[in-house]
Amino acid sequence: MTISETNSPFIALSSISKAYRTRAISVPIFDNLDLSIEKGEFVAVMGPSGSGKSTLLNLLAGLDGPDSGDIKIAGQRLDHMGEAARSAWRAHHLGIVFQFYNLLPMLTAEENVELPLLLKPFPASIRRERVAKTLDLVGLCGFGRQNPSRLSGGQQQRVGIARAIVSDPTLLLCDEPTGDLDRASADEILTMLGYLNRELGKTIVMVTHDPEAAEAADRILHLDKGAFVERARVMS
Amino acid sequence: MRSTIRQITAMSRTTLLSIPRRLAISLSMVGSIMLVVCVLSGFLAMARGFEITLQSAGSPDVAVVLGGGPREEGNSEIPPDVIRSLMATRGDIGVLRNDRGVPILSREIVVPVEFRTDPDAVGETLALRGMDETGPGVRAGVTLSSGRPIQPGTREIIVGEQLAARYSGLGVGNRVRLGPVNWIVVGHFSSFGSALESEIWGDIDAVAAAFNRVGEVQSLRLRLAVTDQIDGLSRAAAEFVGAQLIALTEAELYASQSAGTARLVRYFGWPIVLLMAIGATAGALNTMMSSVSDRTVEIATVRAMGFSRVSACLATWLEAVLLSVVGVGLGLATSWLMMNGWEASTMGANGTSLAFQLVVGRDAMVEAALVGLAIGAVGGAVPAFAAARLPVTDALRGRG
Ligand SMILES: Nc1ncnc2c1ncn2[C@@H]1O[C@H](COP(=O)(O)OP(=O)(O)OP(=O)(O)O)[C@@H](O)[C@H]1O
Ligand SMILES: [Mg+2]
């Protein structure tokens, strides 16, 4: 590892510009946006609807590309990779947690959690073991054979988290992970994310509308009109 | 590589497990492919059955002599002096002779006759063949299955099994009106289900007299000494310069007749099947497009995890192929169970009716299966690419 890489942040976005173009108009989302996130940080992103929070996560996930600017994660230039390389990159470095869980309804909880492991060269026995361990970690021991539709919202989201972390990625992206949950379930999920961040060292970027949820993070970024307004936690 | 296969397997599994959500449209695709397979194998079975019936009718042991040019009995004419000369030949012409050394020969004419089951019914045209007493014996494999042979010079007839089975009015002992006179059915003959069984046989002089064709002979039947060795007879026939005789085996005669009709059935059948196949392909495309839109969120979710485009593409294509395999399987099973051996009838030679069985053969099944699979493979290709190119971010936002 070179010195510059050691010193550069885990996630570094510089001068990102992004606009959505339809035939008639162009809607600018980001204009010269910069962002850096350190390894092991837990960052919450807030902001009004349409401010570009999901777009930011899509850029970090390599699901979308910027019009201009650099995206560097763990020393790799995401914006220089092709489609297949970005897929492979996601498989190795990234877990995603969705607002509506996005569990595959025809698969059991276990099979859902196993999916990301299929992208790696693990034999079936190791896959089974890791799935069981991960379900255990999110407190769903014994629920593996259940169909997602038989689980509560909070349980489904825990399956979603298990699926996101089962292949041990360094970065977790969560788009309103508690947006569809009641307070108690939301708190459970936030506690779990906090645990994953502190104990397992996951870097987490979480989009949320809920100020209480944002409190779980180390740092809160406010995205408004395509730029960050950073505030200290104590002040919010 | 292993990971690619695992991705494709997992994607395919979830895809197939989601079929119950769109059961109706999936079944419509299966059904339309099944229909195409049934219709195509139906046409092919018809053509094949027709060929088999006519080919088996013609024996390579039996020679047919036609005169006047055409290669079919209807317009053929043999002058009487030719018959006399042929019977008088002493040289080796490759045909069987009786114990007096005379070639065994049957003079024959075929007359189309109207047959009515009852006086008010619409008549069906059947072939009444007048022949010499030697006629049945000259032919290979003809046996009397009931009754007795015809008395020469009388208005007695024997009826082929196929006809006898179709019309109860042609039972042994019955009196039937064919043309201007009444005939008595004295027997039934079988020839292993060949086209001969669609004929009625009578005495040549009685037939000629009843239909004002006294003295006319359309063809001669002789038994070859050696199977398929027609050359001797051909040379002898060529010597009657004015009569334009052709000698050929009965097998050749029927084969040339069946080729035309079988080709007609196929040429008529294929365009219909191709039109239907185009329709079914459009249906398959529609079904698979709705499969992709039904699975949009699931595809986007696993793509966001890192599943490849290839796996999304192949899983979708596999669904299409699998549905078409089901359609092909059902179609083949249906056509085999329902059509194979089905009795049909069509126009045979001389404008008369000819009974034959549909034969769903291996070639027909393979052709129908390939067409069915092609419908799924082609109809599924565009949706498969749509699945591969699905815009993941839009799909995850719920705008898929
Ligand atoms: N594919 C697209 N084509 C055109 N406009 C788009 C597209 N995707 C997003 N947008 C627009 O970009 C803007 C930012 O969208 P984004 O989803 O990132 O917002 P958000 O902050 O996540 O909003 P929310 O809180 O409602 O989820 C919105 O105005 C949206 O309408
Ligand atoms: Mg959003």
Side-chain angles (χ1 to χ4, degrees):
Chain A
M1 213 180 250
T2 65
I3 292 173
S4 74
E5 272 180 347
T6 326
N7 291 342
S8 71
F10 180 61
I11 297 176
L13 305 195
S14 53
S15 319
I16 296 293
S17 293
K18 172 85 185 164
Y20 285 112
R21 280 172 209 87
T22 55
R23 216 165 288 149
I25 49 161
S26 159
V27 184
I29 309 295
F30 303 132
D31 185 24
N32 269 313
L33 185 83
D34 294 315
L35 169 67
S36 48
I37 294 173
E38 296 301 330
K39 194 163 179 140
E41 252 197 304
F42 185 167
V43 175
V45 179
M46 298 188 75
S49 189
S51 56
K53 305 182 295 296
S54 297
T55 305
L56 176 68
L57 289 194
N58 289 338
L59 290 175
L60 293 176
L63 292 170
D64 207 346
D67 296 338
S68 64
D70 309 347
I71 301 177
K72 205 171 187 180
I73 301 180
Q76 284 181 286
R77 281 289 294 270
L78 220 52
D79 52 311
H80 283 182
M81 292 180 192
E83 170 65 37
R86 279 184 281 143
S87 286
W89 180 85
R90 283 198 294 277
H92 283 90
H93 299 284
L94 190 67
I96 302 183
V97 179
F98 303 91
Q99 177 176 358
F100 300 106
Y101 332 125
N102 288 21
L103 300 177
L104 274 56
M106 69 297 270
L107 301 182
T108 62
E110 245 166 31
E111 289 167 336
N112 268 285
V113 174
E114 190 192 13
L115 286 170
L117 293 177
L118 299 174
L119 300 166
K120 298 196 156 185
F122 296 131
S125 58
I126 303 266
R127 293 204 300 268
R128 259 198 305 280
E129 199 178 298
R130 288 186 70 157
V131 168
K133 243 172 69 185
T134 312
L135 279 173
D136 204 13
L137 183 74
V138 298
L140 284 179
C141 189
F143 286 89
R145 297 280 157 85
Q146 296 278 348
N147 199 275
S149 61
R150 311 275 296 274
L151 301 175
S152 73
Q155 288 172 322
Q156 290 190 45
Q157 191 56 299
R158 283 192 270 161
V159 175
I161 290 174
R163 184 177 65 183
I165 61 171
V166 70
S167 59
D168 201 20
T170 40
L171 177 60
L172 272 188
L173 300 178
C174 314
D175 198 347
E176 303 191 35
T178 58
D180 201 42
L181 298 177
D182 59 68
R183 189 71 259 159
S185 306
D187 287 342
E188 274 174 27
I189 295 298
L190 292 167
T191 309
M192 191 164 296
L193 291 176
Y195 172 86
L196 293 173
N197 170 246
R198 278 188 313 279
E199 307 299 324
L200 303 181
K202 305 288 178 209
T203 306
I204 300 180
V205 180
M206 173 178 74
V207 166
T208 184
H209 277 292
D210 174 11
E212 258 186 78
E215 289 302 316
D218 304 326
R219 182 154 65 115
I220 304 174
L221 298 173
H222 289 268
L223 194 55
D224 201 1
K225 302 193 180 71
F228 288 119
V229 192
E230 197 160 338
R231 301 174 205 165
R233 282 180 62 189
V234 276
M235 287 169 65
S236 61
Chain B
M1 188 61 212
R2 293 269 294 283
S3 156
T4 308
I5 292 170
R6 273 205 301 261
Q7 285 180 46
I8 294 167
T9 314
M11 274 288 237
S12 304
R13 178 158 174 261
T14 58
T15 302
L16 297 183
L17 285 173
S18 69
I19 288 179
R21 294 202 304 239
R22 42 183 191 281
L23 195 61
I25 195 164
S26 303
L27 286 181
S28 82
M29 171 171 164
V30 168
S32 61
I33 290 176
M34 176 178 159
L35 197 68
V36 171
V37 168
C38 279
V39 170
L40 177 54
S41 46
F43 274 117
L44 296 177
M46 238 149 85
R48 189 71 200 120
F50 189 73
E51 270 172 354
I52 287 178
T53 305
L54 279 186
Q55 278 163 9
S56 65
S59 159
D61 291 323
V62 179
V64 182
V65 178
L66 302 171
R71 273 176 90 89
E72 38 111 11
E73 287 184 82
N75 295 316
S76 155
E77 195 186 338
I78 312 249
D81 55 314
V82 168
I83 303 169
R84 275 193 299 278
S85 314
L86 264 181
M87 290 184 78
T89 48
R90 292 285 133 193
D92 182 17
I93 56 171
V95 300
L96 294 191
R97 293 164 186 270
N98 64 19
D99 38 17
R100 281 173 290 118
V102 180
I104 305 173
L105 163 158
S106 166
R107 301 167 299 149
E108 309 198 341
I109 57 173
V110 179
V111 222
V113 291
E114 281 270 287
F115 172 71
R116 289 172 207 276
T117 40
D118 67 82
D120 302 325
V122 182
E124 172 134 25
T125 309
L126 303 180
L128 172 62
R129 181 184 291 275
M131 54 173 63
D132 278 319
E133 197 182 359
T134 47
V138 156
R139 289 174 166 77
V142 171
T143 53
L144 211 57
S145 50
S146 61
R148 58 167 177 81
I150 300 160
Q151 294 277 319
T154 63
R155 286 186 186 148
E156 292 178 349
I157 50 174
I158 56 176
V159 176
E161 284 286 349
Q162 300 258 21
L163 281 188
R166 197 134 52 97
Y167 303 110
S168 57
L170 294 175
V172 175
N174 282 14
R175 180 182 294 272
V176 287
R177 189 167 186 90
L178 300 174
V181 296
N182 285 328
W183 306 76
I184 294 174
V185 181
V186 297
H188 291 165
F189 66 89
S190 81
S191 63
F192 304 116
S194 82
L196 297 183
E197 287 187 11
S198 289
E199 293 184 345
I200 301 173
W201 292 350
D203 175 76
I204 183 164
D205 297 321
V207 170
F211 294 89
N212 288 330
R213 296 173 68 167
V214 176
E216 258 182 54
V217 174
Q218 288 178 330
S219 67
L220 304 176
R221 291 284 197 291
L222 301 95
R223 176 72 80 93
L224 290 171
V226 183
T227 301
D228 252 340
Q229 292 298 314
I230 192 90
D231 292 353
L233 189 59
S234 286
R235 264 194 305 276
E239 284 171 22
F240 301 97
V241 178
Q244 289 183 283
L245 298 189
I246 315 169
L248 68 176
T249 66
E250 202 182 42
E252 287 171 337
L253 174 66
Y254 284 121
S256 67
Q257 274 173 17
S258 72
T261 308
R263 212 181 299 129
L264 192 73
V265 171
R266 290 201 176 98
Y267 284 178
F268 181 65
W270 272 107
I272 291 180
V273 167
L274 286 182
L275 274 181
M276 288 181 64
I278 291 170
T281 306
L285 187 103
N286 184 38
T287 298
M288 293 315 300
M289 274 305 189
S290 72
S291 158
V292 174
S293 72
D294 179 49
R295 292 180 294 118
T296 300
V297 174
E298 287 148 34
I299 296 172
T301 302
V302 297
R303 291 271 292 114
M305 274 177 214
F307 276 63
S308 63
R309 280 186 164 165
V310 174
S311 63
C313 177
L314 281 184
T316 305
W317 195 67
L318 205 82
E319 180 190 355
V321 171
L322 224 82
L323 288 176
S324 66
V325 166
V326 174
V328 164
L330 290 175
L332 289 183
T334 311
S335 53
W336 199 81
L337 289 175
M338 292 185 46
M339 295 194 288
N340 199 29
W342 182 323
E343 291 285 336
S345 76
T346 184
M347 298 274 271
N350 319 316
T352 57
S353 125
L354 168 71
F356 65 99
Q357 291 193 331
L358 297 197
V359 176
V360 183
R362 179 131 54 97
D363 289 356
M365 288 172 101
V366 168
E367 277 176 51
L370 287 179
V371 169
L373 290 180
I375 291 170
V378 173
V382 172
F385 280 101
R389 304 208 61 91
L390 184 114
V392 176
T393 55
D394 286 353
L396 290 176
R397 277 197 179 92
R399 303 174 189 205

